[in-house]
Amino acid sequence: MSQTPASSVALLEQNRVPEPVAAAWEMIRAGLRRDCGSRTFDGWLRPVTLGGFDVDTGTVRLELPSQFMADWVQTHFADRLALAWRTAIPSVRNVAIRAGVEGPRTAATVQIPAAEPDEAPAEEQGGLYAPQLEPRYRFESFVVGKANEVAFNAARTLANTENVAFNPLFIHGGTGRGKTHLLHAIGHEFRVRRPGARIIYMSAEKFMVEFVAALRANETIKFKQQLRSADLLMIDDVQFIAGKESTQEEFFHTMNEIISAGRRLVISSDRAPQDLDGIEPRILSRLSWGLVADINQADLELRLSIILKKLEALPDVKVPQDVVMFLAKRISSNVRELEGALNRIAAYAMMSGRTIDLDFCNEVLANVLRANQRRISIDEIQSKVSDHYRIRKAEMTSARRAREVARPRQVAMYLSKQLTPRSLPEIGRRFGGRDHTTVIHAVRQIEKLRAADAELDADIRLLTRQLES
């Protein structure tokens, strides 16, 4: 179902999509495949088709074969798709993700509740950057365990308490552990407690893109006024502004304005403030000023609770207890991948009419299970290599090019490529936002040096054994 340039022309004629929009969609698809990896792209994003474009409202329609898949893409990729479209074609203001006209409505569809009558319209609450908060990401649906209870309690306190003892709140943890869920939950709760409050949620990447767009359009004053007037400002994945000096300058002043005015600021990242290299010290100081709460990897008990909570929203999907335990034990990398595996077996079971059992799970989740067998993360590789070469772990993401730092960093990139299923762009992002070509160079360089340097080859063999043991 993948669209080629020829299929885009056919779609152009059928739905009267402007040719630049069709061309932009081909470019966006290529970027998604590169950034997300073939496994995620083939499983969920390849079936997405360009359904049409409304010039008057600036709305792009994206369609999927079923409502179940549309809901999944909406939950996991809506922000990324919206940002990609806005970057490619500034006239695109909205991205609507839905099932096609012929697409079946599955029984597993989670109904999105309507807005409460006393809620103010989004435009009034957040202006130009009104948040599109995910309705399912609330405190009630967040499963709490030892790994995340500090972050959960801090988030709930900030959202509910009239006078908090900390500001900002900085939440950090690895990919797929629930940081974004907590930020959306804070937004929902804050809106209930303070009707009409101005709430802004955006990724750090969107902050950067919007700031650059405002500079080009000579609208920086409007940009500043919108963000600094927020009663609650939430910035997700702040590590993405590392090395972006002008963006950091604006971010610093926005932080100061929000905190000085007594408004609330919530920041998330994949690392603790002291491990964020490429971020100005004055920003790191502000981030550490409030409360820093981490989300650790979910243990078996928490993973079981998450699966059972997820199944409550899928009443027509029957999953035996042995399958639940199997999933909780075998998929331990992150919560997002665990939920994605459950979504996949539910979707495949409904589409094929087969019963969910262990054989079915092994067949449907073969790639996921192979990836989780290793249980080696980029974070673990960085830690192990840093210890071996006696350098700070923060050097893995630093801009320093001294040999004593650059060579261990290349070794870690090489091992990340060899021992994890992560894509080259994702590996680059975990090493201080580097480009995928930097990772390719590191891999080729280490392969070349291993053949000529027996000591380096021995180091890599030792590190590999330690990581796989």
Side-chain angles (χ1 to χ4, degrees):
M1 194 175 288
S2 175
Q3 289 183 4
T4 63
S7 66
S8 289
V9 173
L11 191 63
L12 174 67
E13 296 174 351
Q14 180 180 355
N15 294 306
R16 299 178 183 176
V17 178
E19 188 171 358
V21 176
W25 175 231
E26 295 301 332
M27 181 182 68
I28 291 170
R29 282 172 58 83
L32 288 170
R33 182 178 180 84
R34 181 181 63 249
D35 293 343
C36 301
S38 58
R39 187 175 65 189
T40 298
F41 183 85
D42 291 342
W44 295 100
L45 298 174
R46 183 183 292 278
V48 182
T49 59
L50 182 58
F53 177 63
D54 188 324
V55 178
D56 295 332
T57 62
T59 300
V60 168
R61 297 194 306 277
L62 301 179
E63 297 183 350
L64 286 106
S66 72
Q67 186 64 36
F68 183 89
M69 297 184 75
D71 286 342
W72 193 93
V73 172
Q74 172 70 36
T75 299
H76 294 82
F77 285 93
D79 286 345
R80 178 176 292 188
L81 285 166
L83 184 60
W85 274 107
R86 178 160 185 159
T87 302
I89 303 179
S91 61
V92 173
R93 297 190 294 274
N94 304 293
V95 177
I97 302 171
R98 66 185 189 184
V101 176
E102 303 298 327
R105 299 265 170 181
T106 69
T109 298
V110 179
Q111 296 298 322
I112 297 176
E116 297 294 332
D118 59 346
E119 286 187 358
E123 291 78 6
E124 295 178 12
Q125 293 173 340
L128 181 63
Y129 304 113
Q132 299 298 316
L133 298 175
E134 169 56 50
R136 284 166 283 183
Y137 287 175
R138 299 175 183 268
F139 288 124
E140 296 78 18
S141 60
F142 190 87
V143 183
V144 184
K146 291 182 179 179
N148 57 29
E149 61 183 353
V150 173
F152 174 82
N153 289 330
R156 190 169 56 178
T157 298
L158 182 136
N160 288 320
T161 307
E162 187 65 29
N163 297 305
V164 292
F166 54 87
N167 193 27
L169 169 61
F170 185 93
I171 301 174
H172 69 93
T175 301
R177 294 184 184 176
K179 301 185 300 294
T180 300
H181 188 141
L182 282 181
L183 265 62
H184 283 254
I186 291 171
H188 284 301
E189 193 71 16
F190 195 80
R191 179 176 290 171
V192 171
R193 297 288 178 179
R194 298 189 180 186
R198 297 176 63 82
I199 301 170
I200 295 178
Y201 164 86
M202 63 170 58
S203 66
E205 187 177 15
K206 183 175 181 180
F207 181 96
M208 179 180 65
V209 170
E210 295 289 354
F211 175 60
V212 172
L215 283 173
R216 290 176 177 173
N218 291 321
E219 294 183 345
T220 54
I221 294 177
K222 184 177 180 181
F223 176 83
K224 296 172 189 287
Q225 289 175 340
Q226 284 285 331
L227 266 64
R228 298 180 189 185
S229 64
D231 297 297
L232 170 64
L233 176 61
M234 298 181 288
I235 304 294
D236 208 354
D237 290 326
V238 75
Q239 70 271 9
F240 285 116
I241 66 171
K244 310 297 190 299
E245 293 182 5
S246 60
T247 301
Q248 289 189 40
E249 179 75 19
E250 177 58 30
F251 184 72
F252 173 76
H253 292 300
T254 298
M255 286 178 59
N256 268 352
E257 187 73 24
I258 292 289
I259 295 172
S260 300
R263 303 187 182 100
R264 304 192 184 187
L265 177 66
V266 185
I267 309 289
S268 81
S269 173
D270 62 351
R271 281 157 287 180
Q274 59 268 26
D275 293 329
L276 285 171
D277 203 78
I279 303 290
E280 293 182 9
R282 57 179 179 169
I283 294 179
L284 297 179
S285 175
R286 295 294 191 280
L287 294 178
S288 304
W289 192 5
L291 176 63
V292 177
D294 64 338
I295 301 180
N296 296 311
Q297 185 170 341
D299 56 20
L300 177 61
E301 182 180 358
L302 180 55
R303 295 198 296 273
L304 280 170
S305 298
I306 289 169
I307 294 175
L308 295 175
K309 183 73 173 181
K310 181 74 175 177
L311 288 175
E312 291 178 4
L314 305 173
D316 296 308
V317 178
K318 306 302 179 185
V319 181
Q321 186 61 38
D322 60 338
V323 172
V324 171
M325 182 60 71
F326 174 80
L327 293 173
K329 285 183 175 180
R330 292 293 301 276
I331 303 178
S332 59
S333 55
N334 65 66
V335 172
R336 187 175 298 154
E337 192 160 315
L338 179 62
E339 292 183 344
L342 187 60
N343 284 337
R344 181 180 293 189
I345 64 172
Y348 276 58
M350 285 183 288
M351 288 188 287
S352 65
R354 292 177 57 182
T355 300
I356 297 175
D357 55 24
L358 291 176
D359 289 338
F360 178 77
C361 288
N362 276 302
E363 177 185 335
V364 173
L365 302 176
N367 292 336
V368 178
L369 295 175
R370 277 198 298 271
N372 275 270
Q373 276 182 336
R374 294 171 175 176
R375 297 180 183 177
I376 300 173
S377 68
I378 294 176
D379 185 69
E380 291 171 333
I381 291 172
Q382 291 176 338
S383 297
K384 189 67 69 175
V385 173
S386 299
D387 291 343
H388 181 81
Y389 288 103
R390 297 180 180 178
I391 64 173
R392 294 186 306 116
K393 184 180 176 182
E395 299 288 11
M396 290 291 164
T397 57
S398 74
R400 289 185 61 199
R401 297 184 180 182
R403 181 182 176 85
E404 65 270 16
V405 172
R407 184 68 75 231
R409 187 189 299 131
Q410 288 181 325
V411 168
M413 288 183 183
Y414 172 82
L415 290 172
S416 297
K417 178 65 174 66
Q418 300 300 319
L419 302 179
T420 77
R422 305 305 176 191
S423 65
L424 293 173
E426 186 172 357
I427 293 173
R429 287 195 294 270
R430 295 302 301 273
F431 283 83
R434 287 175 164 81
D435 189 79
H436 72 282
T437 56
T438 303
V439 182
I440 293 174
H441 172 74
V443 171
R444 290 175 178 171
Q445 184 72 5
I446 296 302
E447 287 176 343
K448 179 181 177 181
L449 290 173
R450 287 189 71 178
D453 189 336
E455 184 177 351
L456 176 64
D457 182 66
D459 284 346
I460 291 175
R461 290 179 184 275
L462 174 62
L463 287 166
T464 301
R465 286 197 302 271
Q466 291 175 343
L467 287 163
E468 290 182 335
S469 62

